[in-house]
Structures are given as structure tokens and as C-alpha cells.
């Protein structure tokens, strides 16, 4: 295989630009010099870090050589003799000169390497060679080279990945389904926010190497996430010497940040670090108009409309540091530490108008000031042993993650018309503590063209939510604890899993079959000192607030690829998966977005299960690549949010409405997606994709039928134009079609991002300018109908923004960034492929 040779040669290198191996022991024999130049066959650009291998014919254990510099030039000294000469570069076909008698210095001239189509599994040549790779069970997108993500966050970057959508609040969905599992380097991580996506809205996109979209996961991956898996692989350099980059950005509305990526690789160590700081002061806006239906004759207000203005100020520091120690040529151990601090200062101003019989009856102003202090850290230890050159491999992982978030809020609600008076003054305290332990071991055994794998993963999570609400008693002037809402809830999720899988290739036909056994324990305990009977009554069910549930399940996976030709294949995948409720979904105690709107978890929720089929087709031409698929998913016990009246009213006579997650009987989804990558000219690259899906669900809650049928779609378009003077121009457009569930219709939404960049300082620096949401149209507009009320709303999380960024590269060539290094850090790229 190419990779062992490359690693051996890198370890022999003295520096990243020229190599001089030790002189032969026979000092009387003068060394000879071998020179040459290596270029990309398609565009004629030099290939930096291509490898010249000199393999002695007489002494097979003797290997020497070197790597090319920034101009693709190599110059290597070696003892005279007979050699098998080869020139290698990851993802390119190897150039070979067998049994060469080299007795004097020689210039091998210019050697042009072509992409190895079979190895790449569908890498499209679109100026940036690794834009997309198609594997047996996933697609890999290298989004770190996207101009529109310069100075952006990981959430922003994910929104440019086909099949993925990030909504206005940062919620992530895959093919329109929000039940997606987020992994970092192949594992659950504090970087992903323990299932929340908040952390991804703070971490810089510069840290990403690639994103794996896994719609038909093999048995190696945990079965969580009925929509599939998004695996975010972070950068880690594999080249000898020191290299890195500094990224600085500033934007409007007020935002700024700096991130530093650094890597030092020696013969024995690989030290890597990403350090980032971000500040933002972002406005937002929302509008709600609620019309209430008089059912029981207790109508107080028939209409309330609200205008909300948000000012979210925050600053965050994150650092990811690690050291890989090479025990020998085949094994290494890696330790890494991640730390994230986030401070927030949010202001929400709510202007409300109350109508009765169509006339304005009252006006109020509500101000909420929320202070947030959040800490996340994670320790990871990884052992890897490439047991032999045939691919036999053993890996083991230990990981501990912790998150601690404290939120304190002051809520001041006052009447402003027809008179000025205090409605309520409240103080809210909430502390969420999360711990997660991970133990994992994987073994890979090649069997000729076949491959066998087996492994274990255990994840043990604990989440504690401590919530306290105090309200001012206007009669006494003292704050009194609200016993109905104050609580402490502890939730455990423990998962033990064993898996095995086997893959083989017969001519043009490849398959990968696996089976995963998972045992899930969900345990909840209320430790509130107050009476909880009102909570049980509000849930309207025979629900045990203290529960201990256990589930045992088998999760088979099966993936096929048939290679019609070198440039065309058909794939078929099947998998069974699970969606476990998170702690917030389970916590029975209400939390409030306003005094009249609460969210309440449902401790009676059970996991959802899905069975999915995916039929894909890939076709490549010289300048065009087409990827397409048709998929079907049936999910039982699927989750659905519903809104319903609680029958309670506030002290100022406003009906209280709650949102609660429930289990539906089933949810079926069928869809089709297609994407093209087109490179008609060297200066023009185009990519586009569209996803169309239809879903139906059935089920009821509290005697109300929440079944629905709906059709929706989303599409994206991107273009990249190379202008004179080393200027790049990129445009990305995304449209989410209208959609509907049992209660709510949501209008379509268009978003356009624009970016320009220019290389300066001899290509060591790049200046970028981008505009996010050019038309200021990224707004969610919804219409909800229930038996008790009708609600119209509009929400904009962040308005149009502009960002100016500068990136400086240290010992990193622009061409090497474009080619990619084929790093499989944590991404599972060595999985059985067709």
C-alpha cells in the first residue's frame, strides 16, 4: 500500500523541502543525485509533498527517497545501485520505473501524475480535487476550502453541505429529518455540545478538514440517529516539520475572531493545536400574533400580538490540543484535550398588545436579561496499532467529556397602557451539568480481498438540571419560590454495544454486511423538594416521574456497490437505527420562553426506531459528475412537537400554552435527491443539488389526532469563478421549500451567500470578504392551528452580515491545500470500500 511507504519516507526526512539520507557506509562510493519535477496531469500545477521511493532490488529492506518541494521539484542523494523507482502521491496513480540501474546522477525530467479514479471512489476534479468523495456508505465533503465559510462557524459551514440544512436557530437536519447524529472525529464529543448544536455555532469553520454525510451507516457506527450521521473531521497535519495558519476576521453586525492552527511533526511526535477566540453582538427579531378560540366561555383576550427584539452578546475561547507519539513504525498513542469557555449576555425586549372584542385593551413591555456562563472540556486517549502491512489494525479509545452551564435571568414585565403597573418580576436560575464517558475498541482483519471487523463501544451519560424560579410577591415585597416550576432532575443514558461486519469484493461487485447489538438504559430521577403532583396532573397521563427503562435491540446494516464501469456505479444500502430522547425531552418540569409559553418534557417518551433503504447512482464524465439517490424510511414511535392549551392563565389573564414532545405511531418518508459537480472551464466550477421528499405520519395524544401528509423540497446552487489577479468569486444559494406537520405550516425560505478572495504575499496570505444572507431573507414564517388558538409568527435569528477575513499560512502551500492530504483522522476512511 502507498501509505506505509509515505510515512516511512516522511520519518526519514530532515525538513519539508529537501531530504538528504545518511551517506552509505562505504565512504569510497560517492553518492549519486536523482532529480526531477512532479506535476498534476490535468492542470499542470506542481504537486508539493509527492514522494520519490527508491527500493533496493538486492536488499529489499533498504528503502530511501525524498519528497518534492513547493515547486514540485525533488533532489535526492543515494548510493549507486539497482532500484525499483516509484513516484507516489495520495489519491494519484503511482508512476513506476522497475529495476533501474542507477550508477550516475540522473534527471528523471517532468513526471505528470493522474488521479487514481478507482482509489478515490468518485473524487470529482473541480479545481479543488477533493470537493466530494463517494464511498460505500457515505459521501465526504471537504468544506474547509469554501470561501463563504471564511470567518464563519461550523454551523455556517454545514449549511453548504448537500443533503444538510441548518435552520435559523442552528437546528441541523439531514434530508429534511432532524434526527441526525453529530460526531467529531468519529465519536460523540463535547465539541458537538452533547447533542445540542449550540457549540457548533461558536467553533470556527477553519478547524474542519472534512464532513462525512453518512446516510447508510455501517455497523461500526453507533445506531443513534434515524436520519443518519454527520461526522465532522478536524484538521491534523501529517507532514514533517512545523506548519500552521492564522485566521483573523471582523464583521458587521459586530463580530470578530481569531484562530490559530499549528502543527509540529517530528520522527517521534505529532503535536497539533487549534486555538480560537470569538466575539459577537448579534441582533434578532420575532413577531407573534395569537388568536384565541373561545371554547368554554372563559375568553379573556381574543388576540395578542408580540414584537420581540433580541440582542445576543457573547464571547468564547476554545482550544483543542493534542500529541501523537509514534511508539514504532506501526503503532502510536494520541492524547488530546479540548476546552471551551463561553460567556453570554442576552437581552430580549417584548412589546405586547392585548385585544378584546377586536379593540386594544392593554399594552405591556417585558424585558429579560440573561447571563450565561458555560464551560466544556474533554480528555481523549487513542491507541492505534497497524499490526501488519496487510491492513490488520487494532484501535482503542478512552474519552471523558464534561459540560457545565449556568444561566441566570431577570424578567421584568410591566403594563404600559391604559396605566403603568408591574405585572411580574421574576428571577430564574438554571444549572445544567453533563458528564459522558466513552470506551471503545475496534479490530480490523483483512482476508485477501475481504475484510472482517469487530468492536465494542460503551457510552455512559449523566445530565443534571437544577431549575429555580422566584417571583416577587407584590403584597409583601419579597421573592417567593414557585414550587410548581422549581425542580432538580437527574437523567442517565447508558449504552453498551457490540458489532461485527464483513465486506468483500467480487469483480465489479462489493458489499459490506454488519450487525450491531445495543443495550440502552434510560433512567430519570426527580430530586425536587416540592410536591410534584401538579406536574403529573399537567401531563395528563399515568406517568412515573422516576423511571428506569431498558431496551435491547439488534441493528443490521447492508451496503452494496456494483461498478458498471470505471466512471459509473450503483449502490444500495439498508440499515436499522434508533433515536433516543435527550434529557430535555424527558424532563417533566416546564421551562418558559415567556410567561404564556412553556416547554415541557415527557418522561413517558420511548425511543424511536427506523428502517431505511437507499438506492444510489453515480456517473462521471470528463467535466461533470452526477450523484443521485432514492430513499425510503419508516420510523415507529417517531417524535413530534405539539402545542396545546394547559387550561391555566397567568396573573394578568393570559392563557398558558405548552409545547411537548410525543411519540407518534409511525412516520414514513420517501424522497429523491440529485447533485451535479460541473467544471466546464478552468475558471468556472458549478455545483448544485436538489432534494424532494414526501412524508406521512399517524398517531394521537390526549384524544387528538396528529396524523399528517406533506410534500417538501430544498435545493442549493453554488458557483466559483476564478478572476484575474488571483481573485476568486463564490456564490451559494439555498432554498427550503414550504413544509407542514399536523399543526404548523412553514413558508419557504431563500438564503444567498456571496464571497470574494484574493491571494497576496506570494500566496502565503488570503484576504476574503463575504456577505451572509445577501437578501436578508433568512426568516422562518409559520402558521399554527389548534383547537384552542391560531398563531402566526416570524423569526429571524440573525440578519444579513458581512465579514472581512485574513488568513496567513506558515509553511503551507496553497496548492497543497487544494489537493488535500487524504487524512483519515478519526473518520473511518479505511472502512471496506468498493
Amino acid at each position: 500500500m502507498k501509505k506505509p511507504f509515505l510515512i516511512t519516507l516522511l520519518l526519514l526526512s530532515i525538513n519539508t523541502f529537501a531530504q538528504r539520507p545518511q551517506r552509505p557506509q562505504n565512504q569510497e562510493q560517492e553518492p549519486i543525485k536523482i532529480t526531477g519535477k512532479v506535476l498534476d496531469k490535468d492542470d499542470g500545477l506542481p504537486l508539493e509533498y509527492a514522494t520519490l521511493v527508491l527500493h533496493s532490488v538486492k536488499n529489499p529492506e533498504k528503502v530511501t527517497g525524498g519528497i518534492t518541494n513547493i515547486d514540485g521539484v525533488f533532489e535526492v542523494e543515494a548510493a549507486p545501485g539497482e532500484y525499483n523507482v516509484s513516484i507516489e502521491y495520495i489519491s494519484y496513480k503511482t508512476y513506476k520505473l522497475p529495476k533501474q540501474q542507477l550508477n550516475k546522477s540522473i534527471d528523471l525530467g517532468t513526471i505528470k501524475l493522474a488521479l487514481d479514479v478507482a482509489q478515490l471512489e468518485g473524487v470529482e476534479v473541480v479545481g479543488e480535487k477533493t470537493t466530494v468523495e463517494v464511498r460505500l456508505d457515505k459521501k465526504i465533503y471537504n468544506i474547509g476550502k469554501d470561501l463563504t465559510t471564511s470567518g464563519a462557524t461550523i454551523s455556517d459551514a454545514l449549511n453548504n453541505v448537500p443533503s444538510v440544512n441548518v435552520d435559523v436557530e442552528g437546528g441541523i437536519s439531514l434530508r429534511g429529518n432532524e434526527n441526525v447524529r453529530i460526531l467529531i472525529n468519529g465519536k460523540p464529543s463535547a465539541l458537538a455540545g452533547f447533542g445540542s448544536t449550540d457549540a457548533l455555532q461558536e467553533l470556527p469553520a477553519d478547524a474542519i478538514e472534512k464532513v462525512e454525510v453518512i446516510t447508510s451507516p455501517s455497523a461500526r457506527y453507533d445506531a443513534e440517529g434515524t436520519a443518519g450521521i454527520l461526522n465532522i473531521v478536524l484538521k491534523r497535519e501529517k507532514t514533517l516539520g512545523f506548519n500552521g495558519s492564522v485566521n483573523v476576521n471582523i464583521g458587521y453586525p459586530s463580530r470578530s475572531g481569531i484562530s490559530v492552527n499549528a502543527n509540529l511533526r517530528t520522527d517521534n511526535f505529532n503535536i497539533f493545536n487549534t486555538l480560537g477566540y470569538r466575539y459577537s453582538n448579534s441582533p434578532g427579531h420575532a413577531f407573534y400574533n395569537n388568536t384565541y378560540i373561545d371554547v368554554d366561555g372563559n375568553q379573556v383576550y381574543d388576540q395578542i400580538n408580540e414584537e420581540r427584539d433580541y440582542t445576543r452578546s457573547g464571547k468564547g475561547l476554545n482550544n483543542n490540543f493534542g500529541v501523537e507519539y509514534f511508539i514504532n513504525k506501526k503503532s502510536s498513542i494520541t492524547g488530546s484535550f479540548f476546552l471551551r469557555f463561553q460567556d453570554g449576555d442576552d437581552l430580549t425586549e417584548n412589546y405586547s398588545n392585548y385585544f378584546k372584542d377586536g379593540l386594544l385593551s392593554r399594552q405591556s413591555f417585558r424585558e429579560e436579561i440573561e447571563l450565561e456562563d458555560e464551560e466544556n472540556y474533554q480528555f481523549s486517549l487513542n491507541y492505534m496499532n497497524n499490526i501488519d502491512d496487510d491492513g490488520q489494525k487494532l484501535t482503542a479509545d478512552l474519552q471523558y467529556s464534561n459540560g457545565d452551564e449556568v444561566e441566570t435571568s431577570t424578567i421584568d414585565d410591566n403594563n404600559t397602557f391604559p396605566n403603568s403597573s408591574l405585572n411580574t418580576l421574576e428571577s430564574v436560575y438554571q444549572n445544567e451539568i453533563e458528564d459522558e464517558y466513552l470506551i471503545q475498541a475496534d479490530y480490523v482483519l483483512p482476508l485477501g480481498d475481504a475484510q472482517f471487523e469487530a468492536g465494542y463501544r460503551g457510552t455512559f451519560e449523566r445530565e443534571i438540571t437544577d431549575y429555580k424560579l422566584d417571583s416577587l410577591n407584590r403584597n409583601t415585597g419579597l421573592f417567593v419560590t414557585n414550587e410548581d416550576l422549581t425542580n432538580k432532575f437527574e437523567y442517565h443514558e447508558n449504552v453498551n454495544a457490540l458489532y461485527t461486519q464483513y465486506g468483500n469484493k467480487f469483480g465489479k461487485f462489493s458489499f459490506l454486511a454488519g450487525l450491531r447489538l445495543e443495550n440502552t438504559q434510560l433512567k430519570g430521577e426527580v430530586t425536587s423538594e416540592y410536591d410534584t403532583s401538579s406536574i403529573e396532573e399537567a401531563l395528563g397521563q399515568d406517568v412515573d416521574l422516576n423511571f428506569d427503562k431498558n431496551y435491547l435491540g439488534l441493528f443490521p446494516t447492508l451496503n452494496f456497490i456494483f461498478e458498471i464501469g470505471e466512471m459509473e456505479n450503483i449502490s444500495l444500502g439498508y440499515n436499522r437505527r434508533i433515536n433516543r430522547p435527550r434529557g430535555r425531552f424527558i424532563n417533566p418540569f416546564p421551562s418558559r420562553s415567556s410567561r404564556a409559553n412553556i416547554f415541557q418534557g415527557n418522561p413517558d417518551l420511548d425511543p424511536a426506531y427506523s428502517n431505511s433503504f437507499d438506492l444510489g447512482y453515480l456517473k462521471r464524465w470528463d467535466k461533470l459528475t452526477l450523484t443521485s439517490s432514492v430513499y425510503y424510511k419508516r420510523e415507529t414511535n417517531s417524535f413530534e412537537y405539539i402545542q396545546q392549551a394547559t387550561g391555566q392563565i397567568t396573573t394578568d389573564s393570559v392563557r398558558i400554552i405548552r409545547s411537548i414532545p410525543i411519540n407518534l405511531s409511525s412516520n414514513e418518508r420517501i424522497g429523491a435527491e440529485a447533485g451535479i459537480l460541473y467544471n466546464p472551464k478552468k475558471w468556472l466550477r458549478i455545483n448544485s443539488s436538489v432534494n424532494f421528499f414526501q412524508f406521512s405520519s399517524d398517531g394521537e395524544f390526549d384524544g387528538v389526532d396528529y396524523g399528517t401528509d406533506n410534500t417538501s423540497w430544498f435545493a442549493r446552487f453554488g458557483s466559483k469563478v476564478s478572476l484575474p489577479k488571483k481573485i476568486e468569486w463564490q456564490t451559494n444559494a439555498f432554498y427550503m421549500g414550504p413544509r407542514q406537520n399536523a399543526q404548523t405550516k412553514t413558508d419557504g425560505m431563500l438564503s444567498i451567500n456571496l464571497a470574494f478572495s484574493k491571494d497576496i504575499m506570494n500566496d502565503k496570505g488570503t484576504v476574503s470578504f463575504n456577505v451572509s444572507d445577501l437578501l436578508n431573507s433568512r426568516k422562518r414564517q409559520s402558521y399554527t392551528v389548534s383547537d384552542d388558538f391560531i398563531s402566526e409568527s416570524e423569526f429571524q435569528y440573525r440578519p444579513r452580515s458581512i465579514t472581512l477575513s485574513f488568513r496567513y499560512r506558515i509553511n503551507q502551500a496553497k496548492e497543497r491545500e487544494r489537493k488535500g492530504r487524504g487524512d483519515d483522522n478519526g473518520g473511518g476512511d479505511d472502512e471496506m470500500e468498493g
Side-chain angles (χ1 to χ4, degrees):
M1 297 297 291
K2 297 179 183 178
K3 201 170 289 186
F5 281 111
L6 179 60
I7 293 174
T8 301
L9 291 171
L10 290 176
L11 293 175
L12 291 171
S13 303
I14 293 178
N15 58 58
T16 60
F17 297 102
Q19 309 74 37
R20 301 180 63 89
Q22 295 182 353
R23 296 175 65 88
Q25 294 181 358
N26 183 3
Q27 297 295 322
E28 297 179 358
Q29 195 174 26
E30 289 295 326
I32 63 173
K33 186 177 293 184
I34 301 144
T35 58
K37 188 172 186 178
V38 183
L39 302 178
D40 183 294
K41 184 178 179 181
D42 293 322
D43 54 26
L45 293 174
L47 293 178
E48 185 187 2
Y49 300 100
T51 308
L52 171 70
V53 180
L54 300 175
H55 201 149
S56 175
V57 175
K58 292 184 179 180
N59 184 5
E61 300 297 322
K62 183 179 179 182
V63 181
T64 188
I67 58 178
T68 59
N69 64 14
I70 190 173
D71 298 314
V73 174
F74 60 85
E75 183 178 311
V76 175
E77 289 186 355
E82 187 178 13
Y83 293 94
N84 291 318
V85 181
S86 63
I87 296 175
E88 304 176 353
Y89 191 76
I90 292 176
S91 301
Y92 284 71
K93 293 180 179 179
T94 299
Y95 176 85
K96 296 181 180 180
L97 292 171
K99 295 185 178 180
Q100 298 294 305
Q101 191 66 45
L102 303 179
N103 296 319
K104 60 180 181 179
S105 297
I106 184 174
D107 184 358
L108 297 180
T110 299
I111 296 137
K112 295 184 178 182
L113 300 185
L115 280 169
D116 189 340
V117 177
Q119 182 190 114
L120 288 181
E121 295 269 331
V123 172
E124 170 61 15
V125 184
V126 204
E128 293 171 335
K129 299 297 180 184
T130 51
T131 299
V132 59
E133 303 174 31
V134 179
R135 300 293 177 91
L136 191 61
D137 63 343
K138 59 193 170 188
K139 295 183 179 72
I140 304 171
Y141 297 93
N142 291 271
I143 62 175
K145 305 158 190 69
D146 190 329
L147 300 183
T148 59
T149 66
S150 181
T153 67
I154 289 180
S155 285
D156 297 324
L158 289 177
N159 209 32
N160 290 334
V161 176
S163 303
V164 179
N165 178 36
V166 182
D167 66 22
V168 293
E169 294 175 283
I172 298 171
S173 60
L174 182 59
R175 290 175 169 175
N177 190 337
E178 295 180 352
N179 299 325
V180 57
R181 178 69 155 167
I182 308 294
L183 302 178
I184 305 290
N185 292 337
K187 296 181 285 292
S189 171
L191 280 74
F194 296 100
S196 167
T197 59
D198 292 344
L200 302 183
Q201 298 182 63
E202 298 298 331
L203 298 176
D206 303 325
I208 303 177
E209 174 70 21
K210 56 191 174 184
V211 174
E212 299 178 345
V213 179
I214 310 171
T215 53
S216 184
S218 67
R220 170 187 293 183
Y221 298 97
D222 56 356
E224 172 71 24
T226 54
I229 294 172
L230 290 179
N231 182 32
I232 301 170
V233 181
L234 303 182
K235 291 177 180 176
R236 188 192 301 180
E237 187 56 65
K238 293 198 170 186
T239 306
L240 280 178
F242 175 80
N243 62 81
S245 65
V246 179
N247 301 266
V248 182
N249 65 82
I250 187 169
Y252 178 83
S254 181
R255 61 187 299 186
S256 58
I258 181 171
S259 64
V260 179
N261 298 304
N263 203 104
L264 176 63
R265 175 76 181 256
T266 70
D267 289 350
N268 298 318
F269 292 95
N270 185 29
I271 303 173
F272 53 94
N273 187 67
T274 299
L275 176 66
Y277 175 82
R278 294 180 62 84
Y279 168 80
S280 66
N281 192 345
S282 179
H285 178 75
F287 170 78
Y288 298 88
N289 184 34
N290 297 328
T291 301
Y292 297 90
I293 301 169
D294 187 1
V295 177
D296 302 319
N298 331 347
Q299 182 73 46
V300 179
Y301 296 108
D302 51 38
Q303 185 178 354
I304 300 174
N305 61 56
E306 302 177 16
E307 291 275 355
R308 296 184 192 175
D309 291 321
Y310 305 92
T311 304
R312 293 179 298 272
S313 178
K315 54 189 177 183
L317 176 71
N318 62 83
N319 187 52
N320 186 30
F321 175 79
V323 178
E324 182 177 10
Y325 172 66
F326 303 102
I327 302 172
N328 52 48
K329 293 181 179 180
K330 295 184 180 296
S331 62
S332 69
I333 187 167
T334 303
S336 63
F337 172 68
F338 169 76
L339 179 66
R340 173 178 175 261
F341 295 110
Q342 174 72 22
D343 291 329
D345 185 353
D346 298 346
L347 171 65
T348 302
E349 297 174 305
N350 191 338
Y351 302 85
S352 299
N353 296 308
Y354 302 80
F355 295 86
K356 186 174 183 181
D357 299 325
L359 299 176
L360 179 64
S361 175
R362 182 166 67 91
Q363 291 179 316
S364 69
F365 173 70
R366 179 180 187 267
E367 181 181 73
E368 178 179 358
I369 299 174
E370 179 182 292
L371 302 179
E372 177 185 349
D373 184 7
E374 183 178 0
E375 296 180 8
N376 287 281
Y377 61 86
Q378 176 179 292
F379 298 93
S380 301
L381 193 64
N382 168 265
Y383 171 75
M384 180 178 66
N385 189 347
N386 294 299
I387 299 172
D388 56 34
D389 294 335
D390 295 326
Q392 189 177 187
K393 184 177 181 180
L394 174 67
T395 60
D397 294 274
L398 295 173
Q399 181 172 288
Y400 170 70
S401 304
N402 174 268
D404 190 344
E405 180 180 5
V406 176
E407 295 179 1
T408 57
S409 301
T410 301
I411 302 170
D412 189 356
D413 194 323
N414 292 271
N415 288 323
T416 59
F417 173 81
N419 51 56
S420 298
S421 60
L422 176 68
N423 281 323
T424 184
L425 181 61
E426 297 177 336
S427 176
V428 179
Y429 169 86
Q430 180 169 296
N431 183 202
E432 291 187 13
I433 300 174
E434 297 174 281
D435 292 288
E436 181 182 280
Y437 297 86
L438 179 142
I439 304 172
Q440 181 174 337
D442 299 279
Y443 174 69
V444 179
L445 176 64
L447 302 169
D449 289 336
Q451 183 169 291
F452 168 80
E453 292 186 50
Y456 162 80
R457 174 181 285 184
T459 55
F460 311 96
E461 301 178 41
R462 183 188 66 159
E463 179 179 334
I464 299 175
T465 303
D466 190 353
Y467 185 87
K468 183 181 181 182
L469 173 64
D470 293 332
S471 300
L472 179 68
N473 186 318
R474 283 173 286 181
N475 294 325
T476 64
L478 302 175
F479 278 90
V480 179
T481 298
N482 185 320
E483 298 183 2
D484 289 337
L485 296 179
T486 298
N487 66 90
K488 189 173 183 180
F489 182 70
E490 184 170 337
Y491 179 65
H492 293 261
E493 178 183 295
N494 301 319
V495 181
N496 287 279
L498 294 169
Y499 83 91
T500 183
Q501 64 183 22
Y502 174 80
N504 207 340
K505 184 172 183 178
F506 302 96
K508 296 183 176 182
F509 177 78
S510 304
F511 77 91
L512 182 63
L515 184 64
R516 190 176 186 90
L517 174 67
E518 289 194 352
N519 177 256
T520 301
Q521 181 191 37
L522 305 180
K523 184 178 179 180
E525 181 181 5
V526 175
T527 57
S528 174
E529 59 185 286
Y530 303 109
D531 183 18
T532 61
S533 59
S534 62
I535 300 297
E536 295 173 346
E537 182 180 351
L539 287 169
Q541 308 170 72
D542 183 15
V543 174
D544 187 358
L545 302 186
N546 300 288
F547 58 89
D548 189 348
K549 302 179 180 180
N550 202 286
Y551 307 87
L552 183 67
L554 284 173
F555 301 92
T557 64
L558 191 58
N559 290 287
F560 301 94
I561 280 187
F562 179 72
E563 299 173 8
I564 301 173
E566 187 179 31
M567 309 286 281
E568 186 178 16
N569 67 52
I570 295 175
S571 61
L572 176 64
Y574 162 76
N575 63 83
R576 182 175 189 258
R577 301 188 61 75
I578 186 175
N579 188 27
R580 306 179 185 93
R582 301 295 302 175
R584 182 171 182 263
F585 284 25
I586 294 289
N587 190 338
F589 290 91
S591 60
R592 302 195 296 176
S593 59
S594 71
R595 297 177 59 242
N597 294 276
I598 65 174
F599 176 89
Q600 186 170 17
N602 180 3
D604 202 39
L605 271 186
D606 290 319
Y609 295 89
S610 71
N611 288 276
S612 304
F613 297 87
D614 191 298
L615 177 63
Y617 173 73
L618 167 71
K619 174 67 175 177
R620 292 189 302 272
W621 294 268
D622 290 340
K623 297 182 178 182
L624 177 69
T625 292
L626 169 68
T627 59
S628 61
S629 64
V630 177
Y631 54 91
Y632 170 79
K633 183 186 303 293
R634 177 176 172 81
E635 187 173 336
T636 56
N637 278 349
S638 58
F639 302 156
E640 181 72 84
Y641 287 106
I642 63 168
Q643 290 181 292
Q644 57 180 195
T646 63
Q648 301 173 325
I649 60 173
T650 65
T651 55
D652 53 339
S653 303
V654 179
R655 289 188 179 188
I656 298 176
I657 298 171
R658 72 169 178 176
S659 298
I660 185 172
I662 63 170
N663 285 121
L664 292 179
S665 297
S666 66
N667 184 306
E668 289 188 347
R669 183 181 298 260
I670 185 169
E673 63 180 355
I676 61 168
L677 298 166
Y678 184 41
N679 187 200
K681 302 289 183 181
K682 286 187 176 181
W683 52 268
L684 177 62
R685 277 104 50 198
I686 296 174
N687 67 83
S688 182
S689 64
V690 62
N691 192 306
F692 178 88
F693 55 93
Q694 181 180 29
F695 63 90
S696 61
S697 59
D698 63 82
E700 65 175 43
F701 182 76
D702 280 351
V704 179
D705 184 5
Y706 290 102
T708 187
D709 293 284
N710 186 236
T711 299
S712 188
W713 62 284
F714 61 88
R716 54 173 36 90
F717 171 84
S719 67
K720 196 170 185 181
V721 179
S722 298
L723 301 173
K725 306 295 184 180
K726 297 184 179 180
I727 297 175
E728 301 277 347
W729 166 26
Q730 183 171 326
T731 304
N732 286 342
F734 176 80
Y735 179 76
M736 181 72 203
R739 57 198 186 278
Q740 179 180 353
N741 63 17
Q743 288 184 311
T744 303
K745 294 180 181 179
T746 303
D747 293 341
M749 182 173 61
L750 173 68
S751 179
I752 297 177
N753 298 335
L754 195 66
F756 295 89
S757 77
K758 177 175 172 54
D759 294 333
I760 58 175
M761 306 171 67
N762 294 321
D763 289 347
K764 291 183 178 180
T766 301
V767 177
S768 301
F769 174 80
N770 70 62
V771 182
S772 177
D773 194 11
L774 178 67
L775 303 179
N776 203 35
S777 55
R778 192 169 171 77
K779 303 174 183 179
R780 183 185 64 213
Q781 297 174 317
S782 301
Y783 183 76
T784 300
V785 178
S786 78
D787 292 338
D788 303 293
F789 66 92
I790 298 173
S791 177
E792 299 174 86
S793 66
E794 177 180 287
F795 178 74
Q796 183 178 31
Y797 184 81
R798 186 176 63 190
R800 175 177 48 235
S801 60
I802 59 175
T803 305
L804 180 65
S805 306
F806 172 70
R807 180 177 186 182
Y808 182 76
R809 291 174 286 276
I810 306 169
N811 292 336
Q812 288 185 349
K814 186 71 180 295
E815 284 78 8
R816 178 162 59 89
E817 283 187 27
R818 292 172 57 199
K819 304 300 178 190
R821 296 294 300 158
D823 185 3
D824 61 356
N825 171 32
D829 289 356
D830 53 356
E831 198 163 317
M832 185 69 189
E833 302 166 7

